[in-house]
Amino acid sequence: MIRGLETKTYDERLQKLGLASLGKRRTRGDRRAGFQYLRAATEKRKGVKLFSKAPEGQTRNNGWKLIKERFNLEIRRNFLQVRTINPWNKLPSEVVSHSLVELKEGTKRFSMAGVSNYTTLTLADRKGLLYVGAREAIFALSISTMEMEEAILWEAPEERKAECIQKGRSNQTECFNYIRFLQTYNSSHMYTCGTYAFQPKCGYIDLATFSLDRFSFEEGKGKCPYDPAKGYTSLIVEEELYSATHNNFLGTDPVILRNLGPQYPVKTEHLPTWLNEPHFVGSAFVQESKGSDIGDDDKVYFFFSERAVEYDCDIDQVVARVARICKGDVGGARTLQKRWTTFLKARLLCSIPEQQLHFNRIQGTYTLNGDHWRETSFFGVFQARWGDVDVSAVCQYQILDVQKVFEGPYKEYSEIAQKWIRYSDQEPVPRPGACITDWHRYNSFSTSLELPDNTLNFAKKHPLMDKAVPPHGNQPLLVKKDANFTQLVVERVHGLDGKPYEVLYIGTENGWLHKAVALSSGVHLIEELQVFEEAQPIKSLVLSVPKRVLFIGSNTQVIQVPVANCSKYRTCSDCILAKDPYCAWTWNGSQLTPVHFFCLLLVSSSGTKFISKNITAMVGMDLVLPCQLTSNLAKALWTFNGQDLAASQASVVYDAHLQALIVLDIRLKHSGLYKCIQLEEMNELMTESYQVTVLADPALSLETRAPLDNLGLVWVVVIALSAICVVLLLVVFSLKRRLKEEREKGSKAIESTLVYPIEMPKEPKSPTFIPSTTSDSDEKLWDPASYYYSDGSLKIVPGHAVCQNGGTTPSPTTNGIPGQPLQSPQLHSPNRINLSNIRGSSSNGYIRLNLGTEERPDYSDLAEELRRKLKQRQALPDSNPEESSV
């Protein structure tokens, strides 16, 4: 029962929980059942004919249209094979033909409307449940189906959210209750903590009813961070909570704290030498007391990155750290009261020194336990910036190497040298920072309360160890460029030979999952999977070993993916070369089973027959021979007539991006047999084979030498080119006819329009027209005698310039627009010749005269005479033409 929904209606409950109605859920189930039947994804209804598929080529829909049979009884309308057909036929083809990942590969997803940040995951394999802490909600999901079994809505009150907003926090991303901690407290309860709108709260969940007691919330300060974006880690050990977080609103007080349980709280000292702006990423509990010869105590390890204090002040250096405390530490009596007396920290090295590449920012950790605590390994994912390239790495650390560093020398700050150096003086006894062992008990130090002050004072001032923890093998397991690793989980798998192999699952910042296996020769990357449709960080990973599934938490959803998909290996060689420890090749195909995969190929590549493809080309062409590789780790090896191509041919280029061999400017000597062999770890697999024939005579028909399956394509090309030629010919004839018609129209139009080149007239000078500045009458400004020659012909005025006194050219006006013709004064001619649209020019040009009909004298004789003279007149020289002559 979900509290808070008792008074809401059915629709309000569905909207609050983000669920669909029963009708929609039944429709979805019908479509899924129909899909499973039609696409043979399940054998549940094998042998039963439920649907009739329409014949191919007779449908306009999705290609899988079903035939709806007639029925007489109304009750049959509700049958599955009847009610499913109409919605199915409306589905688009991409939906029907798509092979659902959920059905084919076993991937399942969960999300709820209005809920985000599915990042806190806790697995309960025995109960078959996955507990998910999200933003203001806690879910219990079935591992097998990923469906919600129970849910708790834990929202921050509105008044708390208002206070959070008033303090300057975001009401979109911060002022909510983000569930940051969710772990089993005992057999009947779980303990959970949330940010609660920057006022963290914690509480207990009753597993019997899956309900949260809202009246017994506990203060979450020191147990849970205020800020949902701050690094945080915690774990419960024997009903005691060990947490590493920030202890105030501003996030400036880092603390590693133990509370709950019968003992009083103990925490770190508030000193920069203890914790200096840390970013916590992980924690681990190691039972080192089991089988210990010295009666050692159990320990809790914390992993984080912080700003280092041991370097120069002008260097803002961030380093990765591992810190350790003893489970039985209860603080000191006078010194370090209620403070850790066993707190020690050391640097984690993960680098490639020869390339000056150091991975200092740790992002996530995973603890791989063995049969004995001495076999415990810590795996960490690191990020670094190498120039302008993002680089990530995975480093492995052995528990014995960590223990050796914590038992080594200390580092201290020298006032004389003004820097951090190794402590070389006599150490106090008992050793500072050590757990209570049989030696301490023999010397009357039963608890940390009995330790002397000189030991505690030294431990307070010397929490940092001098040596750093080296990675296993003194180098990273895996380094990858252009990637940002975020989380990882590791599983130890035993092969048929009894040897253990460690399989790594690594999440990235853009939503990719990398699967790799650690071998004696290095880490082998098996596959890379994109688990999200849109790029988003993988924020949590949880592995279920019994179920062989992996759970991935992100901001938008929780995804369940299988640890392996053996069905993608189509051949025996692919299965073996993949080195997937979950897959083995049998005579029936690849199967999911742990197996030792370092075995010989069952089928030799030399025994496989490949049919060569016939290629015919002309001399001088460039030939491209594709060779698709089935593995990113493989290389293409080309041979020509049985010999290495690189040694026998010089004019060849292999393009790794196109995965093809390019033969430039082929000659007769390039005729022969080309073979592409896929080379991967000394294993050769035949991929492609080409029989190339080079022709020297261009007149020789290629169709006679080409394979029969290419003749159809050649004929299609010939017919298409012929059709194009016919169309172009028709277009040419059409344009020629239209051009002829336009010319005929132009010869008729010249009767009413005259266009000819002009220059300054060479006839005798005529009286110059000078406009009067005192007369208001236009009739006085025009003198017909000044505009006609003595023979009665009309004078042609070049341009629109008006002659000024002195014969000088008028200067442009100040309001002229650059690049535009200057405005001409409007002249009123007695015969109404329109000159307003004439282009201004100071040189020879063309003037189009529109002879109007209004008040025009009868100049038909004059026009005929003008045409006659133009035919006899020589073309005038044009010293500076603006346009071509007509």
Side-chain angles (χ1 to χ4, degrees), residues 487-607:
Q487 295 291 334
L488 89 161
V489 292
V490 184
E491 182 186 6
R492 183 174 286 120
V493 179
H494 287 80
L496 296 181
D497 59 352
K499 295 182 179 180
Y501 300 98
E502 294 165 349
V503 183
L504 291 75
Y505 302 90
I506 308 167
T508 67
E509 198 172 36
N510 56 359
W512 284 80
L513 181 67
H514 300 272
K515 179 182 176 182
V517 57
L519 309 175
S520 57
S521 58
V523 173
H524 172 77
L525 192 60
I526 299 175
E527 62 181 349
E528 298 176 350
L529 303 175
Q530 187 176 10
V531 295
F532 299 111
E533 295 180 359
E534 298 181 358
Q536 57 180 306
I538 293 178
K539 293 192 172 182
S540 55
L541 291 172
V542 175
L543 178 65
S544 175
V545 177
K547 299 293 184 179
R548 290 184 178 177
V549 292
L550 182 69
F551 299 95
I552 304 172
S554 67
N555 288 329
T556 60
Q557 57 188 314
V558 183
I559 302 178
Q560 179 198 89
V561 296
V563 295
N565 179 22
C566 300
S567 60
K568 65 183 178 182
Y569 302 125
R570 301 298 183 183
T571 63
C572 175
S573 57
D574 287 341
C575 181
I576 295 176
L577 291 176
K579 296 183 175 62
D580 193 333
Y582 295 98
C583 299
W585 185 265
T586 64
W587 293 110
N588 295 327
S590 57
Q591 296 181 355
L592 182 64
T593 175
V595 65
H596 173 53
F597 40 84
F598 298 104
C599 54
L600 298 177
L601 295 180
L602 298 181
V603 180
S604 175
S605 60
S606 60

Side-chain angles (χ1 to χ4, degrees), residues 335-336 410-412 423 425-428 431-433 453-463:
T335 304
L336 293 179
Y410 303 90
K411 188 181 287 291
E412 71 169 358
Y423 180 79
D425 294 339
Q426 186 68 30
E427 299 176 0
R431 177 180 169 85
D453 288 342
N454 61 338
T455 297
L456 298 179
N457 284 322
F458 187 93
K460 181 179 179 180
K461 297 178 182 179
H462 300 79

Side-chain angles (χ1 to χ4, degrees), residues 641-658:
N641 292 331
Q643 297 182 359
D644 188 2
L645 187 60
S648 60
Q649 297 288 340
S651 59
V652 294
V653 177
Y654 178 73
D655 193 321
H657 180 69
L658 297 177

Side-chain angles (χ1 to χ4, degrees), residues 414-433:
S414 174
E415 296 290 346
I416 300 176
Q418 294 292 309
K419 64 179 182 180
W420 287 80
I421 61 174
R422 175 185 291 188
Y423 180 79
S424 57
D425 294 339
Q426 186 68 30
E427 299 176 0
V429 179
R431 177 180 169 85

Side-chain angles (χ1 to χ4, degrees), residues 253-286:
D253 183 17
V255 64
I256 295 179
L257 174 68
R258 180 186 65 197
N259 50 28
L260 298 181
Q263 303 184 83
Y264 51 80
V266 181
K267 63 180 182 179
T268 51
E269 192 72 67
H270 185 59
L271 294 172
T273 55
W274 285 47
L275 295 172
N276 190 22
E277 302 178 13
H279 176 73
F280 301 105
V281 298
S283 55
F285 172 67
V286 181

Side-chain angles (χ1 to χ4, degrees), residues 529-797:
L529 303 175
Q530 187 176 10
V531 295
F532 299 111
E533 295 180 359
E534 298 181 358
Q536 57 180 306
I538 293 178
K539 293 192 172 182
S540 55
L541 291 172
V542 175
L543 178 65
S544 175
V545 177
K547 299 293 184 179
R548 290 184 178 177
V549 292
L550 182 69
F551 299 95
I552 304 172
S554 67
N555 288 329
T556 60
Q557 57 188 314
V558 183
I559 302 178
Q560 179 198 89
V561 296
V563 295
N565 179 22
C566 300
S567 60
K568 65 183 178 182
Y569 302 125
R570 301 298 183 183
T571 63
C572 175
S573 57
D574 287 341
C575 181
I576 295 176
L577 291 176
K579 296 183 175 62
D580 193 333
Y582 295 98
C583 299
W585 185 265
T586 64
W587 293 110
N588 295 327
S590 57
Q591 296 181 355
L592 182 64
T593 175
V595 65
H596 173 53
F597 40 84
F598 298 104
C599 54
L600 298 177
L601 295 180
L602 298 181
V603 180
S604 175
S605 60
S606 60
T608 305
K609 294 183 179 180
F610 284 87
I611 300 176
S612 299
K613 300 178 181 178
N614 295 326
I615 302 295
T616 304
M618 299 296 299
V619 171
M621 296 176 57
D622 293 339
L623 186 63
V624 179
L625 303 177
C627 179
Q628 298 295 327
L629 304 180
T630 59
S631 172
N632 294 327
L633 303 179
K635 296 182 179 180
L637 177 63
W638 284 88
T639 62
F640 176 64
N641 292 331
Q643 297 182 359
D644 188 2
L645 187 60
S648 60
Q649 297 288 340
S651 59
V652 294
V653 177
Y654 178 73
D655 193 321
H657 180 69
L658 297 177
Q659 293 189 2
L661 181 72
I662 303 175
V663 184
L664 303 175
D665 191 19
I666 59 176
R667 300 299 174 184
L668 293 177
K669 65 179 181 179
H670 292 133
S671 297
L673 181 62
Y674 291 81
K675 290 185 179 181
C676 176
I677 300 175
Q678 179 174 310
L679 181 63
E680 183 176 358
E681 296 187 0
M682 307 306 295
N683 294 299
E684 297 183 358
L685 303 175
M686 178 67 69
T687 302
E688 295 290 350
S689 178
Y690 299 96
Q691 181 64 48
V692 177
T693 302
V694 181
L695 302 180
D697 187 5
L700 185 60
S701 176
L702 295 181
E703 287 79 5
T704 59
R705 304 293 301 272
L708 294 177
D709 54 356
N710 293 333
L711 290 178
L713 180 61
V714 173
W715 282 111
V716 170
V717 173
V718 171
I719 295 174
L721 292 177
S722 302
I724 293 175
C725 293
V726 172
V727 172
L728 291 177
L729 187 61
L730 294 176
V731 171
V732 170
F733 282 124
S734 176
L735 291 176
K736 185 176 181 181
R737 186 183 61 182
R738 292 184 61 181
L739 182 60
K740 183 178 180 180
E741 294 176 355
E742 292 294 335
R743 288 179 177 176
E744 294 177 356
K745 292 181 181 179
S747 60
K748 295 179 181 179
I750 199 173
E751 297 295 334
S752 59
T753 303
L754 298 179
V755 181
Y756 63 95
I758 64 169
E759 263 190 6
M760 297 298 296
K762 297 183 179 180
E763 285 79 7
K765 294 185 178 179
S766 59
T768 305
F769 169 69
I770 303 176
S772 175
T773 58
T774 58
S775 177
D776 295 335
S777 175
D778 290 341
E779 297 297 333
K780 296 179 181 181
L781 298 178
W782 293 93
D783 186 5
S786 299
Y787 285 85
Y788 296 93
Y789 293 101
S790 58
D791 59 352
S793 60
L794 176 66
K795 293 182 178 180
I796 305 302
V797 182

